[in-house]
Amino acid sequence: MSLVPVTDPSGLLERAPRLAELLPDAALSEALARGDAWAVHAVLLRRLEHEPPGPTRELLASQVEDRGAFVIAARPPSASSVLGTGVRWRGVPPRDAAPNAPFVAERTVTVLGVPVWPLEGYLVRADGKAPLQVIGQVPPSPGRSRRRAVSLAGVALGLCGLVGLGAVWLDARSMRAVTVVNGLSRPVDVRIGGEHWVVAPGTQEQGRVRMGDGPLHAVTTWPGQESVIEDVTLPVQGEHILYNVKGAAMLEAVPEEGVVSAGPYARSLPEIASVLQPGEQLSVQSAKWESAARLYAEEGRWQAAGRVASAVAEVEPGNTVAREMAARAWLFVDTQVPANLPADLRWRNTRDFAAMLMHTWQEDPAAQALALSLMRHIGQGAQARARYAEHAQQHPDSPLAALYLQRASPPDLGSADAVDAYSKLAVRFPDSPDVTRAWLEARWRFELEHPSDAGRGNDVGRPPYEVQTAELLKPFVEKHPPETLEALELDVRIFLRARLRDAATGLVRRYGQDPRRRTWDFLVLAGRTAEAAGPEHTSYVMRDWIPADLARHPARMLLLDLLTGQRSPKDAELAALASPEDRSMLRLTRDVLVDPKRALKEADGDPLVVLPRLDPEILALLALEFTRTGDAFGKRLFSVSLPLMLAREPLRNHVLSVSGVPGPDFHRLPPGLRAAATLVHARREAKEGYPVFTERLDGLARMDALGGFSVRAAGPWMRRAFDACMDTKVEQSLPQGILLRGDLVKEQARQEDDREGRRPNCEARIVRPTGLPLPRTAATTTP
């Protein structure tokens, strides 16, 4: 031990006498000599780091831990906090310490009572409930740096966690659940935000999309195409967004099971873009547009039915079903408008739909024909002609533009002037199949209206006019075979009118070789053509073209047999059908051909779900017969089919006219509807009280070479009139002043009761004017 005394000006050896056991130590002696207690503590800390295990290390550890021995004078610091956040004292006296004994405490930054950052350490004394009494400041604890590092890391991790939670919260706030429903007949490509779906027809897709700075858009295209068919701004007020492509599907929002706050009732969602409220779930009533439109129509919601069908007709090319359903719905909506309103207001929906067809489908002659029919029906044919004139002026080299203008302009079809006008158009556009076929149609209609005039101008030895038209058609169809069913029907009628049966059936066989063309309407046309041509001139078997799914449907097969004239279903076959609507529809169709009286009674009692399924020509026969007898039910029948709605005025005017001279609107009607009006018009009311025919009906077969319902029903309807004539007693009028007595009275009564005696009169009044053969047997009218 060194004999040199150690200098200790601060008296540290007195407060910690065991420090002397650590001497001699040059660094410790120098620190003691300076009187710096914290320097002594630092020397002890450095020596502790290198001291090997043993009594000396334990002594060093005990001295370093006794921080109160190294206290220095310091100003009492401030410590304040609010709700556990601020600067607070941290430390308590040892359990075995005497009362008011000093102890070491640290000032610490706390957040909500949690220490996050240690500050200085002080030697303090607690005096009951009074604030701590600060004696002096003590050196930092050996683990303060480590605790500060841990606190710093904890704060950093906490901040990162808060930032992450905030980002997650903001991300969740910017996300929206989306359901896309496609009720169209084709798949669609839908893009919403950064998400992309290809939605199949009649299905739905679900996902989540992120909102950006701008509004949320749903952009729909056909797969593989760039043209946009719909661009909709979606609502973002809710958490679940519904996007109904073109509004085609029928959707409802229904309350979730067990949820009362959303309301106990379902609410319809007719909008294209809507939001599900909390507690609601989506219910798809109809995922396909056609069934949705039919449901809306059956519920009387014609506005919704027209909206759905017209939306589909606007985007799907060639969808004739959508066009006709939309046209009928808008006509029905506009007919409910008061008649005293101006035409622009009364027919607003129909006019807008026709304008859409004109603008959207300029290359589709069928769409333009429907638009022109609608404009003429609402009395705006001049406006349509003006639009087509402007279109033709803008496209002077377009054959379709010139054809549309000619159709909308006089002269009307059926006249020689019309044939001349269309002939000049064919010379102007010789390479246009549409123009050439329109010229051939003008020739065909002219010959139908004026058979004698068309044949009178021929030179001796030249074939008849209808044969000349058919000969012009032959090379044309070889180069331009019909691509649509309407064109095929026109060509078949021209060939059958010229009695070129082999050419007609060969054209049908050529058209039907493509399985995609074997639709229901084509099968009806093929069956009627085969029936009209006969088996020896038919080069195909229509039954071989029937699809498997149709062959498994008994009601459709029975209806096909009826429409094509194959056979009539028996009562046992009808009774075996499961659907009462199918039974009623087939029975009514059959009775129009075999028992008109019973058919009229059945039609008056059938619901409106059956009548729209009837063939338009059958509906025309029933509606016109009710109209002829003054029954208001005929007006209702005219509203269940689009062809009848468009043809209502020309048909009624022809049936109710006395002269029977058809007008220009009547000439534009399809042959089947014209034949129905001709048949009903021929049945006039005689003064004796029974119906008679006052004009010849042999022109029916000429008018409808395909043998439609009116041609096939002429015999039964004539038999009914003949039987009514035979059963009606005709009182013989006597000159004034003559009174019969005795045997003369008996003879007169015998003549009135003599049914066979009335036969010559009935034949003269009914059979001979028709040009039809004498009925073999009386028609039965009992079920």
PDB file of all heavy atoms in Angstrom, residues 12 53 148 176 461 466 516:
ATOM      1  N   LEU A  12     -15.457  12.238  -0.405  1.00  0.00           N
ATOM      2  CA  LEU A  12     -16.144  11.083  -0.971  1.00  0.00           C
ATOM      3  C   LEU A  12     -15.780   9.807  -0.211  1.00  0.00           C
ATOM      4  O   LEU A  12     -16.621   8.900  -0.060  1.00  0.00           O
ATOM      5  CB  LEU A  12     -15.777  10.945  -2.457  1.00  0.00           C
ATOM      6  CG  LEU A  12     -16.518   9.872  -3.249  1.00  0.00           C
ATOM      7  CD1 LEU A  12     -18.031  10.130  -3.202  1.00  0.00           C
ATOM      8  CD2 LEU A  12     -16.048   9.835  -4.699  1.00  0.00           C
ATOM      9  N   PRO A  53     -13.746 -11.710 -12.535  1.00  0.00           N
ATOM     10  CA  PRO A  53     -14.616 -12.100 -11.421  1.00  0.00           C
ATOM     11  C   PRO A  53     -13.800 -12.326 -10.155  1.00  0.00           C
ATOM     12  O   PRO A  53     -12.690 -12.850 -10.188  1.00  0.00           O
ATOM     13  CB  PRO A  53     -15.278 -13.386 -11.912  1.00  0.00           C
ATOM     14  CG  PRO A  53     -15.192 -13.319 -13.398  1.00  0.00           C
ATOM     15  CD  PRO A  53     -13.902 -12.618 -13.689  1.00  0.00           C
ATOM     16  N   ARG A 148     -32.429   3.943 -22.936  1.00  0.00           N
ATOM     17  CA  ARG A 148     -32.765   4.959 -23.921  1.00  0.00           C
ATOM     18  C   ARG A 148     -32.840   4.358 -25.332  1.00  0.00           C
ATOM     19  O   ARG A 148     -33.717   4.709 -26.127  1.00  0.00           O
ATOM     20  CB  ARG A 148     -31.736   6.088 -23.888  1.00  0.00           C
ATOM     21  CG  ARG A 148     -31.946   7.051 -22.740  1.00  0.00           C
ATOM     22  CD  ARG A 148     -31.020   8.226 -22.865  1.00  0.00           C
ATOM     23  NE  ARG A 148     -31.336   9.253 -21.880  1.00  0.00           N
ATOM     24  CZ  ARG A 148     -30.719  10.438 -21.809  1.00  0.00           C
ATOM     25  NH1 ARG A 148     -29.751  10.725 -22.681  1.00  0.00           N
ATOM     26  NH2 ARG A 148     -31.054  11.323 -20.897  1.00  0.00           N
ATOM     27  N   ARG A 176     -63.579  -0.311 -51.937  1.00  0.00           N
ATOM     28  CA  ARG A 176     -65.010  -0.527 -52.056  1.00  0.00           C
ATOM     29  C   ARG A 176     -65.266  -1.934 -52.607  1.00  0.00           C
ATOM     30  O   ARG A 176     -64.591  -2.368 -53.552  1.00  0.00           O
ATOM     31  CB  ARG A 176     -65.649   0.504 -52.998  1.00  0.00           C
ATOM     32  CG  ARG A 176     -65.604   1.938 -52.502  1.00  0.00           C
ATOM     33  CD  ARG A 176     -66.508   2.135 -51.297  1.00  0.00           C
ATOM     34  NE  ARG A 176     -66.591   3.541 -50.919  1.00  0.00           N
ATOM     35  CZ  ARG A 176     -65.747   4.150 -50.104  1.00  0.00           C
ATOM     36  NH1 ARG A 176     -64.712   3.460 -49.597  1.00  0.00           N
ATOM     37  NH2 ARG A 176     -65.895   5.427 -49.798  1.00  0.00           N
ATOM     38  N   GLY A 461     -96.207 -14.272-126.245  1.00  0.00           N
ATOM     39  CA  GLY A 461     -95.108 -15.223-126.162  1.00  0.00           C
ATOM     40  C   GLY A 461     -94.179 -14.979-124.995  1.00  0.00           C
ATOM     41  O   GLY A 461     -93.369 -15.860-124.662  1.00  0.00           O
ATOM     42  N   GLU A 466     -94.901 -12.411-113.057  1.00  0.00           N
ATOM     43  CA  GLU A 466     -94.315 -13.034-111.877  1.00  0.00           C
ATOM     44  C   GLU A 466     -93.192 -13.985-112.257  1.00  0.00           C
ATOM     45  O   GLU A 466     -92.208 -14.159-111.516  1.00  0.00           O
ATOM     46  CB  GLU A 466     -95.385 -13.754-111.060  1.00  0.00           C
ATOM     47  CG  GLU A 466     -96.065 -14.918-111.767  1.00  0.00           C
ATOM     48  CD  GLU A 466     -97.281 -14.486-112.551  1.00  0.00           C
ATOM     49  OE1 GLU A 466     -97.404 -13.269-112.837  1.00  0.00           O
ATOM     50  OE2 GLU A 466     -98.108 -15.361-112.869  1.00  0.00           O
ATOM     51  N   ARG A 516     -76.286 -22.883 -87.434  1.00  0.00           N
ATOM     52  CA  ARG A 516     -76.548 -21.669 -86.657  1.00  0.00           C
ATOM     53  C   ARG A 516     -77.792 -20.936 -87.131  1.00  0.00           C
ATOM     54  O   ARG A 516     -78.341 -20.114 -86.398  1.00  0.00           O
ATOM     55  CB  ARG A 516     -75.339 -20.739 -86.732  1.00  0.00           C
ATOM     56  CG  ARG A 516     -74.072 -21.298 -86.097  1.00  0.00           C
ATOM     57  CD  ARG A 516     -72.879 -20.409 -86.373  1.00  0.00           C
ATOM     58  NE  ARG A 516     -72.608 -20.320 -87.804  1.00  0.00           N
ATOM     59  CZ  ARG A 516     -71.623 -19.595 -88.331  1.00  0.00           C
ATOM     60  NH1 ARG A 516     -70.835 -18.889 -87.537  1.00  0.00           N
ATOM     61  NH2 ARG A 516     -71.436 -19.550 -89.636  1.00  0.00           N
TER      62      ARG A 516
END
